[in-house]
Amino acid sequence: MSESGEPATETLGNQARHVPVLLRRCLDLLAPALTEPGAVVVDCTLGLGGHSEALLTAFPAARLVALDRDREALRLSGERLAPYGDRATLVHAVYDELPDVLDRLGIPRVQGILFDLGVSSMQLDEADRGFAYAQDAPLDMRMDQTTGVSAAEVLNTYPPGELVRILRAYGEEKQAKRIVSAVVREREREPFTRSARLVELIRDALPQAAKRTGGNPAKRTFQALRIEVNGELTVLERTIPAAVERLAVGGRIAVLSYQSLEDRMVKQVFAAGAANTAPPGLPVVPERYQPRLKLLTRGAELPTEEEIAENRRAAPARLRGAQRIREDVR
């Protein structure tokens, strides 16, 4: 998700928009690496440009490279960042394309990297995108609407066993079998096209006890479908290690995630990079076994109660940061 903080809203494209989650803390984490002239910072999840604009403003000596798979987000943020001229380079790309993007731009290493994972406020608020279970919309959920299969196609064509796996793995949905049985029965009668019908089906399929906990009962299914449609966890699994590889020594990375699967993946990569990998009993630890990363956060940092009060979408946010402290030794 890409949006909250101070102030609570901003206007962009004639719509009220939230400003980025944990903005000040993200800037503080990245600041020590971005003060020197020529520093490059990558915003891997540009969204509406809230974080990018703050980075360009806070670090006037830095250059920004920003990625997004959503062409409408690139258009709107391009307008927003136009005053910064050639300090900002915006690229239509999924964030796992980061190494290729940097290679094309002739940038071997960068000093800062920021990820704000999940769905942007623009995508949640645009009714025709189908991300939000609170309003009826076409079941699309593609972050890049020019490519890939939609959520409706997933629901209407995937085998039942695969749907159960997706709901369990990506939504941590305990009632996956019950929901999928209802989906399969209903799709034979009429294919799914709209989100409201899916929400109603989930409500009807779940036992009363399951409806009383965890917020909207459709939340986990919608999360699972979105992750499957956009390949989010597969992309993230290869992206975080690749991003760490492109950090210069002294460079810093900050990652905001919004659900436990993403946060666990980030935690594992950072913990592995910060670990001593030497075999036990060595009197002196060779450099190749020493940590490559230093953790900058104790566990995952959470938004404050004040921030959550200003923007309910900030509530699930988890922030982790790390610093590159040495080059790899082959």
Side-chain angles (χ1 to χ4, degrees):
M1 273 199 215
S2 9
E3 322 267 299
S4 162
E6 297 172 75
T9 59
E10 59 183 337
T11 301
L12 187 63
N14 298 320
Q15 300 184 53
R17 305 289 190 188
H18 292 287
V19 297
V21 171
L22 288 167
L23 175 60
R24 174 45 53 192
R25 185 61 183 132
C26 288
L27 294 177
D28 289 345
L29 277 176
L30 296 173
L34 299 179
T35 55
E36 295 298 319
V40 177
V41 59
V42 183
D43 184 347
C44 291
T45 45
L46 173 63
L48 288 170
H51 280 121
S52 283
E53 184 178 46
L55 288 164
L56 287 164
T57 302
F59 309 111
R63 173 187 175 189
L64 171 84
V65 177
L67 283 57
D68 207 292
R69 66 170 76 184
D70 189 319
R71 293 182 186 275
E72 179 64 7
L74 283 164
R75 184 186 70 79
L76 290 169
S77 56
E79 295 173 0
R80 178 179 191 161
L81 302 179
Y84 297 93
D86 59 7
R87 286 182 59 209
T89 302
L90 276 53
V91 183
H92 179 242
V94 184
Y95 46 66
D96 68 337
E97 299 174 72
L98 172 63
D100 293 336
V101 170
L102 293 178
D103 287 346
R104 291 201 303 270
L105 295 174
I107 303 172
R109 294 297 179 96
V110 301
Q111 285 65 47
I113 298 177
L114 174 66
F115 287 89
D116 188 8
L117 302 171
V119 189
S120 74
S121 286
M122 181 195 79
Q123 290 163 339
L124 285 170
D125 292 338
E126 300 292 333
D128 63 353
R129 304 301 290 271
F131 287 100
Y133 41 78
Q135 52 189 343
D136 188 27
L139 272 169
D140 192 314
M141 298 194 194
R142 290 173 297 168
M143 293 180 183
D144 180 352
Q145 291 185 299
T146 66
T147 186
V149 299
S150 68
E153 290 175 86
V154 170
L155 281 173
N156 294 325
T157 65
Y158 276 31
E162 184 66 1
L163 286 175
V164 170
R165 184 194 68 79
I166 289 166
L167 264 59
R168 283 179 175 164
Y170 299 158
E172 300 177 286
E173 175 56 75
K174 295 177 181 177
Q175 304 293 332
K177 274 192 172 181
R178 198 184 283 254
I179 293 170
V180 169
S181 293
V183 165
V184 171
R185 184 175 61 250
E186 281 296 303
R187 76 186 187 184
E188 290 174 358
R189 186 175 66 82
E190 181 184 349
F192 285 89
T193 59
R194 308 284 300 183
S195 60
R197 181 178 169 215
L198 178 60
V199 171
E200 183 179 1
L201 176 146
I202 293 168
R203 288 188 188 280
D204 291 344
L206 294 183
Q208 286 300 321
K211 297 180 192 179
R212 290 194 288 268
T213 59
N216 191 305
K219 173 181 171 183
R220 292 176 293 278
T221 296
F222 271 64
Q223 172 181 298
L225 288 171
R226 191 200 79 221
I227 289 172
E228 170 65 16
V229 165
N230 296 290
E232 290 175 41
L233 292 182
T234 304
V235 170
L236 185 63
E237 187 174 23
R238 57 178 175 260
T239 299
I240 301 299
V244 169
E245 286 294 327
R246 298 308 286 253
L247 279 177
V249 173
R252 292 178 166 221
I253 180 171
V255 184
L256 276 164
S257 55
Y258 295 83
Q259 42 104 342
S260 60
L261 299 170
E262 292 173 340
D263 182 55
R264 196 177 307 140
M265 202 171 284
V266 176
K267 175 185 177 180
Q268 289 170 349
V269 173
F270 284 5
N276 178 335
T277 59
L282 290 182
V284 177
V285 177
E287 186 180 358
R288 69 180 179 274
Y289 295 130
Q290 293 174 7
R292 297 187 304 152
L293 296 178
K294 179 177 77 172
L295 302 183
L296 300 174
T297 50
R298 293 174 67 95
E301 294 189 2
L302 311 180
T304 64
E305 291 181 5
E306 291 79 9
E307 184 166 18
I308 294 170
E310 290 174 349
N311 176 14
R312 59 182 174 78
R313 290 177 184 166
R318 302 291 182 268
L319 175 63
R320 294 182 186 269
Q323 180 180 19
R324 183 77 180 261
I325 57 175
R326 71 166 178 85
E327 289 285 2
D328 288 336
V329 178
R330 303 298 181 189

